[in-house]
Amino acid sequence: MKRDFDVVGSRAALVDAPDKATGRAKFLEDLSFPGQLYGALLQSPHAHARILNIDTSKARRLPGVKAVLTAADVGLVKYGVSPARYDETLFAADKVRYVGDEVAAVAATSLETALEAVELIQVEYEPLPAVFDPLEAMSDGAPQLHQDYPHNICAEVHQEFGDVEAAFKECDYVRSDTFRNKRQDGAFIEPHASVAEYDLSGRLTLHSATQMPHYVQRTVAMVTGLPISRVRVVKPYVGGGFGPKCEATPLDLSASCLAIRTGRPVRMSYTRQQVFLHSRARHQFIHEMKTGVKRDGSLMALEHRCFMEGGAYSSFGIATVYYAGSLLGAPYRLPNMKYDGYRTYTNRPACGAQRGHGGVAARAAFEQQLDLIAEELGRDPVDLRLQNIMEVGDVTCNELSMSSLGMRECIEAVRDGSDWLNKKGRLPRGRGIGIASGFYVSGAGYPIYRSDTYHSTVRIKLQEDGGGVTVYTGSAEIGQGSDTTMAMIAAEVLGIPLADVRVESGDTDYSVDLGAYSSRQTLMTGHATREAAEDIKRQIVEVLAEELGLDVEAVKFRRGKVEFQGVDVDIAPLRTRYIREHRGWSQQPEGPELTFLEAARMAYLKKGTIVGTGKYKPPTLGGKFKGATVGTSPAYGCSAQVVEVSVDTETGQVFVESITDAHDCGKAINLTSVEGQMEGSISMGLGEALFEEVKFDDQGRILNASLGEYHIPTILDVPEMKCIVVESNEPNGPFGAKEVGEGAIMPTIPAILNAVRDAVGVAIQELPLTPERVLMAIKEKEKEES
């Protein structure tokens, strides 16, 4: 069958695979700078306490110490993620709000000296009552974390679309459920780390293991007071992010301030325990959902309340509380929806964004409830979903537009791929099968801060010998394969081999790019890359057409060759000129066809250095109601999964035997990467469903702050996975592409929950599915039945 593209849609090895496989890839810990100092942080031992006094005199006198900073030194510039809720300062001044809150930072000639100096800083605390539960935090008389936010309500959302009350009156069946998850950790392999350099011209360069160089640049400039043009953020190779590396950390800011103070490079990094203390990972959610349907299964209305335990600061919490409601508007036709969401401050580390930001627990609750409704109606869960599924061109009640949507194809694919029809209702007790769907944005429609900025700009420079191009982008390759995606897009547009494209990324000096979050880079950076490559191609084609006296439409590039459409061209004069010009060069062109190399070199000889530029920002999206910007996107990915489990009814242990996954990514730029993202999402969802939970004692101290005690899936836990790629050709995506990085996690947890219920006949509405929790649910059901 004829392929539409030569590079796009193929299977390509990641462009950084050789460096990573051979150990040549440079992560932050591999970087070294002459004269570098080592930084360390003093963090609070109390969950909530007033600071009465800080004495740094002993630390400052310790030999080898070059600087000690507290709030008195750096000031109290407030920062955060959303300008609507800047509630952090680099160092606590009046009080600390969680175990781990930063109080001071030290720079010294060795890490040992810095750590010793931290121990010498004397802080006098007055312990205060603390609160850890989101509902208790909202109650009268609860300890208050921030005086500007009564009842510890960091953010609240109240939205109604349609007429929910009237719709419920028309329903034949209404069901209410409450669902709880637990706090998660991102569990990336590389802890956060930073090195800051401040040069004699007053420019700061920060090397940071971040997934958002652009936003880190803005925050560092704001806190240090430097003009943003004098702050450069460079991201080396990064060992995973998954969301918690989406903002400037106290490491980034402390290293920057210490470098400015000392005039020397300053290196800082978190231990694994400090990674847990910094957190910024998945919130704990409590979802209360009431859903009404007609007798024929038509969804009529959803009334939804959500309470989020957010920790001591806002981080991404304002967006999270909106996402938790808005993403339930699809992929099913739901004409009436009411949502009340509350994010509360508690005396724990701040939660933030994590894969499937805001939507994972809500999706789990809703998809589990759909299964329970299907059972009450005597319907097959697959059929009920297909009956209510949205189609291309539909707009949700909260004004999200489905420009492409392969949801039906995904459900049918996993139904058929899992042998659902022969297994559902026919498996023995202890064995079960479950289905769920998911839905997610392909990039946030608006920046985190109000701005008309382009979300991505890209430069591509043609090599002056014509032998390829280099793509310069500020986007963040964090292991998801974005550099390879951009290389493939550029190669496809220019008609050259993938090996002739080099990508330089993750540097704010290269371009503006909002970074690796909300599954945005394939669509947004991809658009900018495509436009930049088209610009390069246009410039080469114009020179070649002029040289040959052709119309530009007659010149095409493909597979490294020049194709002339509808005309016969004698390339001999150009070939002769090229060879004369490049006497002594190796690999002189030969053969009957003109090469891209020759054409590109001719363009350089005519025009000099050739650079192409591209840019992208979404059009105006979404509705006009308050909060309408959260959840809007140029496109939406969707997915479905069928999970088969076995449950040991004597112990409650759940074994996930197989997962069949289908995801609509619009158009797979790199099939191998798409499947990799699907498998990665399933693995994370598996861990959250079965055993991941950050645990605390009654003083707000984390009990399992290590990857030895906080269990994530290993290869021994991961089941057989069948990944089916569905392509819907998204009109708003480059080559039809849209997201896969986060949406693929959405169905995993509810599909496991539904499979467990199918196996043992009990709906478990609290995560994780530990053996104890499952066994207690089984025993409770047996007691009720007896």
Side-chain angles (χ1 to χ4, degrees):
M1 191 174 79
K2 181 180 180 300
R3 285 168 50 91
D4 293 331
F5 307 110
D6 293 314
V7 181
V8 165
S10 65
R11 293 187 179 275
L14 298 182
V15 295
D16 53 10
D19 281 348
K20 289 181 175 174
T22 59
R24 296 180 183 179
K26 300 294 185 186
F27 294 82
L28 203 132
E29 285 299 321
D30 298 314
L31 305 180
S32 182
F33 299 86
Q36 69 182 12
L37 301 174
Y38 297 82
L41 290 170
L42 176 65
Q43 295 172 283
S44 167
H46 300 286
H48 200 192
R50 186 169 290 112
I51 296 175
L52 302 178
N53 185 50
I54 303 175
D55 183 354
T56 62
S57 57
K58 290 183 180 178
R60 292 179 191 276
R61 289 197 297 270
L62 184 69
V65 171
K66 299 300 180 184
V68 180
L69 298 179
T70 67
D73 302 292
V74 301
L76 295 174
V77 178
K78 287 199 171 183
Y79 71 94
V81 173
S82 170
R85 205 64 91 248
Y86 283 169
D87 56 11
E88 296 186 63
T89 57
L90 175 51
F91 301 120
D94 56 345
K95 66 177 185 177
V96 291
R97 294 177 172 86
Y98 73 100
V99 175
D101 214 349
E102 288 77 13
V103 176
V106 172
T109 51
S110 70
L111 179 59
E112 292 75 16
T113 302
L115 292 171
E116 183 180 352
V118 162
E119 294 295 321
L120 293 174
I121 298 173
Q122 296 179 329
V123 184
E124 187 178 353
Y125 294 104
E126 177 190 349
L128 299 170
V131 62
F132 307 114
D133 179 84
L135 300 180
E136 289 178 13
M138 296 170 65
S139 64
D140 291 337
Q144 295 295 293
L145 273 76
H146 300 268
Q147 63 179 4
D148 294 337
Y149 300 101
H151 296 285
N152 294 308
I153 297 176
C154 165
E156 58 184 304
V157 178
H158 304 285
Q159 295 176 331
E160 181 168 0
F161 307 98
D163 189 336
V164 171
E165 184 178 350
F168 274 120
K169 291 178 180 175
E170 297 179 26
C171 291
D172 298 307
Y173 177 70
V174 176
R175 182 180 177 92
S176 298
D177 292 284
T178 299
F179 183 88
R180 290 179 171 82
N181 76 328
K182 296 295 189 301
R183 268 179 175 251
Q184 311 291 324
D185 182 78
F188 35 79
I189 298 303
E190 181 197 22
H192 304 77
S194 308
V195 178
E197 302 175 276
Y198 188 63
D199 66 26
L200 297 177
S201 62
R203 288 183 169 82
L204 179 77
T205 300
L206 176 68
H207 306 262
S208 175
T210 179
Q211 55 190 97
M212 295 169 68
H214 173 76
Y215 288 110
V216 172
Q217 179 193 34
R218 285 176 53 86
T219 305
V220 169
M222 184 166 60
V223 172
T224 61
L226 292 173
I228 198 166
S229 61
R230 288 182 174 267
V231 177
R232 176 188 180 195
V233 176
V234 181
K235 178 206 69 64
Y237 281 100
V238 169
F242 310 120
K245 290 183 180 175
C246 269
E247 55 193 285
T249 66
L251 288 183
D252 294 327
L253 300 168
S254 297
S256 297
C257 292
L258 288 167
I260 292 170
R261 178 63 63 95
T262 63
R264 293 171 62 173
V266 176
R267 166 187 295 278
M268 302 185 76
S269 59
Y270 280 154
T271 62
R272 180 59 63 181
Q273 182 185 35
Q274 288 175 310
V275 170
F276 276 84
L277 290 174
H278 179 65
S279 185
R280 316 291 160 140
R282 179 100 63 222
H283 291 69
Q284 181 192 13
F285 296 84
I286 301 172
H287 289 289
E288 299 173 352
M289 292 187 184
K290 184 171 82 171
T291 300
V293 298
K294 299 288 283 184
R295 189 169 290 105
D296 68 358
S298 300
L299 284 171
M300 293 293 292
L302 169 65
E303 188 174 290
H304 175 199
R305 284 208 306 169
C306 170
F307 301 93
M308 301 162 51
E309 191 260 301
Y313 299 105
S314 292
S315 180
F316 274 87
I318 294 180
T320 314
V321 71
Y322 276 105
Y323 272 129
S326 66
L327 292 177
L328 291 181
Y332 308 109
R333 290 195 175 100
L334 183 61
N336 306 284
M337 183 168 75
K338 184 175 186 292
Y339 173 61
D340 297 287
Y342 303 86
R343 184 187 190 270
T344 60
Y345 289 117
T346 60
N347 291 112
R348 286 177 171 176
C351 296
Q354 187 166 312
R355 198 173 203 161
H357 183 192
V360 171
R363 178 58 54 187
F366 190 63
E367 293 285 330
Q368 185 186 52
Q369 194 174 59
L370 277 184
D371 257 42
L372 293 166
I373 290 172
E375 184 177 78
E376 291 288 343
L377 297 178
R379 296 286 302 277
D380 182 286
V382 169
D383 290 342
L384 184 71
R385 286 173 170 81
L386 288 174
Q387 175 187 340
N388 287 283
I389 212 70
M390 298 180 75
E391 303 287 350
V392 176
D394 284 350
V395 178
T396 67
C397 64
N398 54 340
E399 301 188 50
L400 311 181
S401 179
M402 302 300 108
S403 47
S404 67
L405 191 72
M407 192 70 254
R408 178 177 298 280
E409 291 79 1
C410 287
I411 292 176
E412 291 174 345
V414 297
R415 177 197 62 192
D416 298 341
S418 66
D419 200 18
W420 171 272
L421 296 177
N422 288 320
K423 290 181 177 177
K424 178 61 178 174
R426 300 180 182 180
L427 297 175
R429 176 170 167 75
R431 189 91 180 188
I433 190 168
I435 187 170
S437 301
F439 167 84
Y440 201 65
V441 300
S442 297
Y446 296 88
I448 292 171
Y449 56 94
R450 289 183 185 274
S451 173
D452 291 328
T453 183
Y454 283 97
H455 292 212
S456 181
T457 62
V458 167
R459 285 183 297 125
I460 300 181
K461 179 179 177 295
L462 182 68
Q463 296 298 107
E464 292 176 351
D465 67 352
V469 298
T470 303
V471 178
Y472 293 95
T473 167
S475 63
E477 166 66 64
I478 57 171
Q480 82 282 45
S482 63
D483 279 3
T484 306
T485 297
M486 300 314 136
M488 294 177 76
I489 289 174
E492 182 67 48
V493 172
L494 291 167
I496 59 178
L498 180 59
D500 288 347
V501 181
R502 187 161 62 92
V503 178
E504 297 288 342
S505 64
D507 188 328
T508 54
D509 270 7
Y510 292 157
S511 79
V512 169
D513 193 283
L514 301 187
Y517 72 102
S518 74
S519 295
R520 56 172 296 283
Q521 290 190 161
T522 292
L523 190 146
M524 297 186 178
T525 313
H527 261 305
T529 301
R530 180 173 185 169
E531 186 174 287
E534 295 280 3
D535 191 18
I536 290 271
K537 183 172 72 173
R538 175 188 58 77
Q539 295 180 63
I540 300 171
V541 167
E542 285 177 353
V543 170
L544 191 60
E546 182 180 350
E547 289 281 343
L548 297 172
L550 301 174
D551 188 281
V552 293
E553 295 298 324
V555 181
K556 307 292 181 187
F557 299 137
R558 190 176 185 201
R559 297 179 182 176
K561 308 291 185 183
V562 182
E563 295 180 351
F564 298 105
Q565 308 289 307
V567 291
D568 293 324
V569 175
D570 179 8
I571 68 167
L574 273 181
R575 173 70 48 84
T576 300
R577 271 182 59 194
Y578 181 91
I579 292 174
R580 285 177 179 169
E581 174 70 24
H582 303 99
R583 291 186 184 91
W585 287 30
S586 61
Q587 298 180 322
Q588 293 285 10
E590 55 187 20
E593 298 171 294
L594 198 67
T595 64
F596 178 87
L597 174 78
E598 292 168 279
R601 181 66 177 173
M602 289 299 167
Y604 163 75
L605 293 175
K606 180 81 172 184
K607 297 171 64 81
T609 299
I610 294 177
V611 175
T613 62
K615 60 193 180 304
Y616 176 80
K617 61 180 171 182
T620 300
L621 297 167
K624 301 296 184 185
F625 55 90
K626 183 180 180 183
T629 58
V630 183
T632 60
S633 177
Y636 297 91
C638 57
S639 54
Q641 291 174 16
V642 167
V643 171
E644 192 166 340
V645 303
S646 58
V647 181
D648 186 330
T649 55
E650 298 297 319
T651 67
Q653 179 120 25
V654 175
F655 301 92
V656 177
E657 304 292 348
S658 66
I659 297 182
T660 304
D661 182 13
H663 189 92
D664 168 22
C665 64
K667 171 69 182 176
I669 302 294
N670 184 353
L671 269 169
T672 303
S673 285
V674 170
E675 291 169 351
Q677 288 294 306
M678 293 169 71
E679 292 174 354
S681 291
I682 289 172
S683 299
M684 290 192 73
L686 182 76
E688 294 188 35
L690 297 186
F691 35 72
E692 290 188 42
E693 176 183 359
V694 180
K695 297 182 178 179
F696 294 84
D697 67 12
D698 59 4
Q699 300 298 307
R701 295 173 295 215
I702 299 176
L703 295 171
N704 55 344
S706 76
L707 294 184
E709 298 297 326
Y710 181 88
H711 294 168
I712 60 174
T714 70
I715 191 65
L716 298 177
D717 302 298
V718 175
E720 173 190 351
M721 291 186 273
K722 181 190 293 183
C723 295
I724 303 167
V725 176
V726 172
E727 296 186 325
S728 60
N729 193 27
E730 167 57 47
N732 297 323
F735 295 103
K738 56 184 179 181
E739 75 85 29
V740 64
E742 296 182 77
I745 195 176
M746 293 293 182
T748 306
I749 296 172
I752 292 173
L753 289 167
N754 291 335
V756 169
R757 190 176 66 84
D758 189 51
V760 297
V762 58
I764 300 171
Q765 296 176 314
E766 183 171 355
L767 295 177
L769 296 176
T770 60
E772 294 83 359
R773 184 165 286 125
V774 174
L775 186 60
M776 286 180 65
I778 294 172
K779 296 297 183 186
E780 187 67 26
K781 179 178 173 58
E782 290 174 348
K783 184 178 176 182
E784 290 175 2
E785 290 176 344
S786 65

